[in-house]
Amino acid sequence: MSAALGSTTISVGGDYDVVIGSGVLGRVADLLGADVERVLVVHPPTLDALSGAVADALRDRGYAVHPAEVPDAEAAKTASVAAALWAQLGQAGFTRTDAVVGVGGGTVTDLAGFVAASWLRGVPVVQVPTTLLGMVDAAVGGKTGINTAEGKNLVGAFHPPAGVLCDVDVLATLPQADLVAGLAEVVKCGFIADPVILDLVESAVADDAGRARSAANPHLRELIERAVRVKADVVAADLRESSLREILNYGHTFGHAIEQVEHYSWRHGEAVGVGMVYVAELARLTGHLSGPEGDALVDRHRSVLESLGLPTTYAAGRWDELLTAMRRDKKSRGSTLRFVVLDGLARPTRLAGPDDALLQAAYGLVSRRDASGAH
């Protein structure tokens, strides 16, 4: 890791860099490399001005820029949108030495990465995440994908980016609900690897809860850097999610099930927040967390997440739907459900094939009695 001129650079296994700082958008060309001639800039309609600034920075360096507007949010992550981008690449004559740049939230960076991975069996991609979730999760690690009717990210590829550029200034205009949802992934890194993250969140909430939930959080850049460092360390050790990398899925199996059952009307971080409480309760039920320390850690899940305004419960009466969705999750192995649980703070482990009665009991501990699923 290095820091210079107001930015921090975190290396991911020596393969690529994540640059974090203020006013760093103009450095996108530095991450592309010398051989690129054409660049497809993928962005949602809400980020015309920001993507235009990125495109201008690329044109100033002599690149031929091809803007590509895609739908907002999960509507971007479909086979039809990917096919339209492939057509644009083909019509523009993109070769293996050309590149894709994704400017947007996690859905855009997932899509841009998948299109880059699949075009000519792989062209470079630089990710410019514009949401907190994108900065600490989706844009880092090289996991790309699109959704199908059967589930989220079921079609995808591992395709490490050429670089990631996180300009924290763009978070000032991010809606608070989206920033808070992104904080769920930051908190996840605190529970699985870096407890200082939890201390910083709790300190910020104690000082000013409203400020802690906004881009004015005085610890926000440090939280981003710590979360990226957690992910970078794990990804460098396990590029293709064969072992260690699974710990980054803490809270995601149940969280993805909520997203699917709710037809993606929940924000990812909101669903993962409930998912983390679910697996904390599951860890207690299966004996991974026990005694006063275990009880306190389960309670800390609720207190930290609720202090940020994140949901920690889900509607009762929907267990069958959730279980069906979890069994389709890509982290399952055959008919065996797999979860990441904690043996203690920053001590993640795997739990494979827990008894269905325990799974349902954990659901009972996070469910409430309204039927709407609203949050």
Side-chain angles (χ1 to χ4, degrees):
M1 182 191 75
S2 64
L5 300 176
S7 66
T8 300
T9 299
I10 299 172
S11 176
V12 182
D15 296 321
Y16 61 93
D17 290 336
V18 181
V19 178
I20 305 166
S22 298
V24 296
L25 281 180
R27 294 174 58 180
V28 62
D30 297 336
L31 301 176
L32 281 173
D35 296 331
V36 175
E37 295 181 7
R38 304 168 187 84
V39 182
L40 184 77
V41 178
V42 183
H43 67 92
T46 52
L47 293 179
D48 282 342
L50 192 61
S51 64
V54 170
D56 288 343
L58 291 169
R59 291 189 184 98
D60 288 345
R61 294 283 290 272
Y63 297 101
V65 177
H66 299 261
E69 184 178 293
V70 298
D72 204 7
E74 295 291 338
K77 291 176 59 173
T78 66
S80 61
V81 173
L85 295 179
W86 292 324
Q88 187 171 350
L89 291 171
Q91 292 160 11
F94 271 59
T95 69
R96 282 186 174 173
T97 57
D98 295 321
V100 176
V101 171
V103 181
T107 56
V108 169
T109 57
D110 279 356
L111 170 70
F114 178 65
V115 168
S118 51
W119 183 253
L120 299 178
R121 299 187 178 90
V123 298
V125 61
V126 168
Q127 303 289 17
V128 185
T130 60
T131 64
L132 180 56
L133 177 62
M135 291 179 185
V136 302
D137 184 38
V140 180
K143 285 171 66 174
T144 74
I146 57 176
N147 304 331
T148 71
E150 290 70 34
K152 187 172 181 178
N153 297 329
L154 293 180
V155 176
F158 289 98
H159 188 61
V164 180
L165 194 63
C166 302
D167 193 324
V168 297
D169 291 348
V170 306
L171 299 178
T173 58
L174 188 68
Q176 183 179 33
D178 291 324
L179 188 133
V180 167
L183 284 170
E185 289 285 354
V186 176
V187 167
K188 175 200 75 178
C189 291
F191 281 118
I192 65 171
D194 183 0
V196 173
I197 287 173
L198 304 179
D199 296 337
L200 290 171
V201 169
E202 289 165 336
S203 173
V205 169
D207 290 342
D208 186 333
R211 193 177 185 209
R213 299 168 185 154
S214 74
N217 184 324
H219 304 302
L220 185 58
R221 178 165 164 181
E222 182 179 356
L223 288 169
I224 292 170
E225 291 176 4
R226 284 183 173 276
V228 168
R229 196 171 296 114
V230 167
K231 186 157 190 180
D233 289 346
V234 172
V235 167
D238 181 13
L239 175 63
R240 295 185 177 273
E241 201 174 62
S242 60
S243 55
L244 176 64
R245 187 163 172 169
E246 283 189 285
I247 70 172
L248 296 172
N249 292 319
Y250 188 64
H252 282 57
T253 300
F254 193 80
H256 280 167
I258 290 176
E259 288 183 277
Q260 186 177 341
V261 168
E262 294 294 333
H263 305 289
Y264 304 107
S265 63
W266 279 51
R267 291 175 177 84
H268 175 72
E270 294 167 339
V272 168
V274 180
M276 284 190 279
V277 178
Y278 176 83
V279 288
E281 292 287 7
L282 184 60
R284 180 156 55 180
L285 289 170
T286 54
H288 286 271
L289 294 178
S290 61
E293 288 186 2
D295 291 342
L297 186 52
V298 175
D299 291 343
R300 196 177 189 188
H301 280 70
R302 287 190 169 88
S303 64
V304 170
L305 293 165
E306 289 172 358
S307 74
L308 292 171
L310 286 160
T312 57
T313 62
Y314 186 68
R318 308 195 71 175
W319 175 242
D320 289 344
E321 296 171 85
L322 291 166
L323 183 60
T324 297
M326 284 195 291
R327 292 200 185 284
R328 283 199 294 257
D329 191 89
K330 61 186 181 301
K331 291 174 287 298
S332 297
R333 300 291 187 271
S335 60
T336 301
L337 280 176
R338 294 160 62 92
F339 297 87
V340 178
V341 296
L342 298 179
D343 282 333
L345 183 58
R347 292 169 54 202
T349 189
R350 297 170 192 79
L351 174 64
D355 187 270
D356 282 1
L358 293 176
L359 294 175
Q360 189 166 2
Y363 168 64
L365 294 169
V366 300
S367 62
R368 60 182 187 277
R369 294 302 162 186
D370 69 85
S372 67
H375 58 292

